[in-house]
Every structure is written in structure tokens, then in C-alpha cells.
Amino acid sequence: MNTPRTAIVAIAVPAHVSDQELANRLWRVLREACQPPDPPDPAFAFPDPASLEVTVYGCAAADLFNQEGSPSS
């Protein structure tokens, strides 16, 4: 069974691109990247493209984390 995981990615994006537009684009790119290879490879069993969720927070990575890498309070 797969264990849910969260990946945090910080990207510099032009100001005119909305958070929703960026989330939609990342979701499409990730779904494409998760397609199984052809011919199929049994070792490629993750992630399930249907499980992808993308949320964009319009802030810098430094605003999310302190120097130790843990969430800011």
C-alpha cells in the first residue's frame, strides 16, 4: 500500500501567472511524468497519477520554513 507523502517545491513564477494557473500546470506536468513507461516496467509502480493533489501558496519558501527546515510558527 502506498503511503501519502507531501513534496514542497519552490518555483519563481512571473507575477501575472495566478496560483491556480500554476497549480493546474504543475498537476498536468506531474500527471504526464507519472505515466508508466512503454514497455511497462513492473518496478515503476508509483506514484498513482490519480492520487496527485497540487496546492500553490503564493509565498517564498523562506516564509514557509525557518532556518532549521521545520515549519515556521
Side-chain angles (χ1 to χ4, degrees), residues 5 7 23 26-35 46-55:
R5 307 275 173 81
L26 287 173
W27 184 83
R28 284 192 304 272
V29 168
L30 288 170
R31 263 190 86 81
E32 180 71 25
C34 291
Q35 295 303 311
F46 73 94
D48 175 3
S51 71
L52 293 172
E53 295 179 31
V54 176
T55 303

Side-chain angles (χ1 to χ4, degrees), residues 5-42:
R5 307 275 173 81
T6 299
I8 297 175
V9 178
I11 308 175
V13 180
H16 70 275
V17 177
S18 73
D19 289 353
Q20 188 60 55
E21 288 172 311
L22 178 58
N24 292 345
R25 171 74 173 152
L26 287 173
W27 184 83
R28 284 192 304 272
V29 168
L30 288 170
R31 263 190 86 81
E32 180 71 25
C34 291
Q35 295 303 311
D38 187 23
D41 179 356

